[in-house]
Structure formats: C-alpha cells, structure tokens
Amino acid sequence: MVSTRRSAPRDHLLATASRLFYNDGINSVGVDRVLQEAGVTRATLYRHFAGKEALVVAYLEREDQMIRELWNEGLGRAVSADHAIEMAIEGIADDAYRHHTRGCPFIKAAGEFPDPKSSVRQVINKHRAWFHTELRRLLAEAGRDEVDTKAETLAMLRDALMVGCFLDDPDVTRRTFVRNARWAAGLR
C-alpha cells in the first residue's frame, strides 16, 4: 500500500519557509536561512523541492488550500444565500484582521515575481480566479444583478482590506470593509 501522507521533514520545512516568506518577504529570505531555522539539511530541501521557486509555489499552494478550507467551512454553516454572503464578508474580514495581518500573501508574492509566466504567478492567478468565481457564485445564488461587477468590487475591497489591516488601523479598516462590502453585495 502506498502512503499519501506527506513527510514530517517536508511539512516542517514548508511551515518554516511559509512563516519566513510571509513575515520577511520571499526574496529577502535565502535558502540557507530557511534550512537553518527549519533545522534540516540541503539534501532534505532538494529531496522534496526542486529549488527555492518550487518551495515558494508550495508555500502559496498551502496558503490557497488553507483559505479554501476556511471558506468552505464557513459557508457550510450558512442557512441562506444572503447568510452565505454575510459569512463570506465576515470571514474575509476575520482573515485579514487575525491571520494575514501583514497583507495578502498572494499580492506580496506577485510583487516579488512580476513575470506573469512564472510558476509562482500561475499559482497566484489560480487562487485569484477561484476567489472571483466563488464571489460570483455567491452573488448569483442570492439572485443579485450585475454579478460580475459586484464580484470585482468585493475582490477589490478585499485587496484593500488586506493592505489596510497591515498599514492602517485594523479596527477602522475592518469596519470600513464590512460596511462597504455589505453595500456592494446588496445586503441591508
């Protein structure tokens, strides 16, 4: 029987790299620092990842997976289409306020990997496409008109929230986001 479990050293290395990349920036964190803080050898890195860019891709895929799981978990408790939109708005606000307090990992990575053809940007594009699709789905299920425009507005507000919670007063930013997101989504 083939095991689908990931190795503990791989997971530990990825968790360490994820923390460092998010907190300090991808390009400012070298492989040696990741290895030192993770307490693993270079051979361990290359056993699990082809190099630093592959480690960055895994970091962003990990972020994407965690966000999708939180999204699905939160929306799984919704009792109506409007409640699902409310849950999404509160979940987005909570994520920026409590978890991603230093900005959006995808926006930050995009700034460090400007080539739209890079594997890093492909992961970013996939995540953002999923998010926009989810917003359109929620709005359509709630019977909203102008679904594309409303979804684009909500996505832009979310991006502003992620930056604002990092750079400005997070309490004010959160309140402003929730108020404007509710308005854009047609919630009263």
Side-chain angles (χ1 to χ4, degrees):
M1 181 168 120
V2 176
S3 171
T4 57
R5 275 190 55 223
R6 293 197 168 166
S7 78
R10 180 193 188 280
D11 291 344
H12 177 66
L13 176 62
L14 182 55
T16 301
S18 296
R19 176 180 50 80
L20 292 171
F21 292 160
Y22 182 72
N23 289 333
D24 298 339
I26 296 166
N27 290 332
S28 68
V29 174
V31 169
D32 289 338
R33 182 168 171 210
V34 173
L35 297 176
Q36 179 183 18
E37 292 205 23
V40 299
T41 64
R42 193 170 293 277
T44 300
L45 169 70
Y46 291 112
R47 182 177 319 119
H48 299 288
F49 304 100
K52 183 176 178 183
E53 189 164 319
L55 185 59
V56 173
V57 165
Y59 151 61
L60 292 172
E61 288 173 340
R62 178 178 185 254
E63 287 288 333
D64 177 67
Q65 179 183 357
M66 288 187 301
I67 290 169
R68 288 180 192 232
E69 287 172 3
L70 288 171
W71 180 267
N72 291 331
E73 179 184 313
L75 294 183
R77 295 189 306 267
V79 296
S80 69
D82 277 354
H83 189 229
I85 294 172
E86 289 176 13
M87 298 281 291
I89 290 169
E90 287 297 328
I92 292 166
D94 190 56
D95 178 54
Y97 189 80
R98 294 176 188 238
H99 305 293
H100 288 111
T101 58
R102 297 175 70 81
C104 173
F106 299 97
I107 293 172
K108 291 170 67 168
E112 295 192 57
F113 288 83
D115 180 1
K117 294 179 183 175
S118 75
S119 57
V120 171
R121 286 299 289 269
Q122 297 305 309
V123 174
I124 294 165
N125 294 343
K126 181 180 173 184
H127 172 76
R128 290 184 66 81
W130 165 81
F131 184 64
H132 283 253
T133 298
E134 283 295 297
L135 291 172
R136 285 192 299 275
R137 179 185 64 78
L138 289 177
L139 293 162
E141 288 176 1
R144 299 301 193 273
D145 60 351
E146 301 180 30
V147 167
D148 289 337
T149 300
K150 285 180 169 65
E152 291 166 10
T153 301
L154 289 171
M156 186 180 297
L157 288 170
R158 182 245 176 223
D159 290 346
L161 167 74
M162 297 297 279
V163 173
C165 277
F166 178 45
L167 297 178
D168 302 322
D169 182 325
D171 293 313
V172 171
T173 303
R174 180 188 175 121
R175 282 193 306 273
T176 303
F177 166 77
V178 170
R179 181 178 58 249
N180 286 289
R182 288 182 57 82
W183 174 82
L187 295 171
R188 302 289 166 220

